[in-house]
Amino acid sequence: EAKRKQKGFAFYAAGRDNKSISRLGLSSELKEAIEQDQLILDYQPMVDISSGRIFCAEALVRWNHPQYGLVPPEEFIPSAEQTGVIRPLTLWVIDRALAQVSSWSKIGIDLSISINLSVRSLQDRQLPAQVQRLVMLHNADPSRVILEITESAIMSDPLTARRVMRRLSSMGFQLSVDDFGTGYSSLAYLKQLPVDEIKIDKSFVTQMDRDENDAVIVRATIDLAHNLGLKVVAEGVESTDVWDLLEMLGCDTAQGYFIRKPQGPRELADWICSREW
Ligand code: C2E
Ligand code: CA
Ligand code: CA
Ligand code: CA
């Protein structure tokens, strides 16, 4: 992980005080960054474990900052949420991701797309209508758009979250609960919400071949989710051993460095083509 950050993100390698930067300068520049096209999306493939098929990609935002280089999302999403810039940011991400799906499709690559919604987006009652507009603009099929919502976002204002989720679900989007296991919700509670899928947090997955407690948690979560009719994604799959365990436990989908790191849309398309031939 440390190595990855050093390699991938100059920001970390430079050893700056990340927190102070994210609280001061960056948030005011973020709006401009959107307008000036400084944000980029990387895409990480999601694999159907039983067939080995890549059927989806998760869009992950980065800020290609003129001064600081590539800034990872955790450095600016929190301040974007505090300042309200998260709304245009989220819409920018959805717009670009849907455009990408449509260009992939033109070269014969058919992928669903998974998009992260922030805490704030889930309390934004105008969001469903704005997302609907983008879907129509790109002529996208909402059933092939997965919206990832963190457990903490749902729990912070359950009533509004439920209302927004119901709207999005009735529009045909698939809803996924991200970082599952790190918050305070229960699967039983989630069953009252229109959720299609849960993503087990990587903190339980990455070491599950070596940590008996993690293995127990992952196994129980998969079983319970399946009994409730939910699909299960494991994120943070970094090794063959973990892949094999997940396959044995009947997990539906895997995502992680073992399969592929997040990368640009061209690179992902090239990799998918070379893999399938
Ligand atoms: P997340 O949604 O939980 O995304 C998974 C993170 O784990 C990504 O980090 C991904 O690069 C990383 N990852 C993938 N495979 C592995 C693996 O095998 N091992 C390990 N250790 N890590 C892996 P990233 O891209 O830095 O994103 C961090 C977080 O920023 C995301 O966590 C998500 O919460 C947030 N984020 C990213 N893009 C967006 C966005 O467009 N909108 C919002 N609201 N949040 C976003
Ligand atoms: Ca996610
Ligand atoms: Ca996650
Ligand atoms: Ca996470």
Side-chain angles (χ1 to χ4, degrees), residues 180-182 200-223 232 234-236 238 242 245-246 249 251:
F180 188 81
T182 60
I200 305 178
D201 192 69
K202 56 180 177 284
S203 61
F204 303 106
V205 173
T206 307
Q207 317 249 29
M208 67 178 286
D209 55 331
R210 277 159 287 162
D211 184 322
E212 183 59 29
N213 290 332
D214 286 350
V216 167
I217 291 167
V218 171
R219 176 198 298 262
T221 307
I222 292 172
D223 290 346
V232 184
E235 64 173 26
E238 295 184 0
V242 167
L245 271 174
L246 291 168
L249 296 175
C251 186

Side-chain angles (χ1 to χ4, degrees), residues 26-268:
L26 295 185
S27 66
S28 57
E29 296 173 70
L30 195 45
K31 215 185 157 115
E32 257 177 73
I34 300 171
E35 284 149 15
Q36 293 174 6
D37 250 13
Q38 290 174 7
L39 299 187
I40 55 169
L41 290 179
D42 274 346
Y43 296 87
Q44 188 176 34
M46 298 168 67
V47 187
D48 177 83
I49 294 178
S50 62
S51 68
R53 205 173 77 86
I54 311 266
F55 68 99
C56 187
E58 178 175 3
L60 294 158
V61 73
R62 284 94 180 75
W63 182 358
N64 195 2
H65 193 283
Q67 244 173 300
Y68 303 132
L70 216 45
V71 183
E74 271 142 355
E75 294 300 322
F76 59 90
I77 296 285
S79 50
E81 291 195 338
Q82 279 165 25
T83 56
V85 182
I86 194 69
R87 180 190 274 176
L89 188 149
T90 300
L91 294 171
W92 180 90
V93 170
I94 297 173
D95 181 49
R96 288 308 166 88
L98 294 181
Q100 190 55 57
V101 166
S102 145
S103 0
W104 277 329
S105 155
K106 284 179 189 129
I107 56 167
I109 292 173
D110 282 304
L111 292 175
S112 295
I113 187 82
S114 211
I115 295 169
N116 293 285
L117 293 187
S118 77
V119 183
R120 206 50 192 253
S121 304
L122 223 59
Q123 285 143 26
D124 182 352
R125 293 195 203 173
Q126 293 179 42
L127 183 87
Q130 291 166 332
V131 175
Q132 177 80 294
R133 188 181 65 77
L134 291 172
V135 161
M136 284 163 67
L137 186 74
H138 293 285
N139 199 17
D141 175 359
S143 74
R144 300 192 56 188
V145 178
I146 300 159
L147 301 175
E148 299 190 7
I149 297 159
T150 59
E151 259 189 299
S152 57
I154 297 168
M155 300 313 286
S156 77
D157 180 358
L159 284 179
T160 314
R162 189 188 311 195
R163 190 177 317 186
V164 170
M165 287 172 78
R166 288 201 174 132
R167 279 279 321 274
L168 292 167
S169 171
S170 71
M171 286 156 58
F173 295 102
Q174 293 191 61
L175 300 183
S176 177
V177 179
D178 202 357
D179 298 349
F180 188 81
T182 60
Y184 296 99
S185 61
S186 67
L187 274 171
Y189 175 77
L190 292 179
K191 196 51 199 164
Q192 301 170 15
L193 297 168
V195 166
D196 303 284
E197 171 190 284
I198 60 158
K199 274 185 106 157
I200 305 178
D201 192 69
K202 56 180 177 284
S203 61
F204 303 106
V205 173
T206 307
Q207 317 249 29
M208 67 178 286
D209 55 331
R210 277 159 287 162
D211 184 322
E212 183 59 29
N213 290 332
D214 286 350
V216 167
I217 291 167
V218 171
R219 176 198 298 262
T221 307
I222 292 172
D223 290 346
L224 200 52
H226 281 166
N227 286 331
L228 292 167
L230 303 172
K231 268 183 75 173
V232 184
V233 182
E235 64 173 26
V237 179
E238 295 184 0
S239 66
T240 324
D241 288 347
V242 167
W243 171 282
D244 290 344
L245 271 174
L246 291 168
E247 184 172 29
M248 197 183 74
L249 296 175
C251 186
D252 302 283
T253 304
Q255 181 179 1
Y257 299 161
F258 174 63
I259 298 126
R260 201 74 178 166
K261 288 192 175 180
Q263 60 189 150
R266 278 282 302 267
E267 291 76 19
L268 181 65

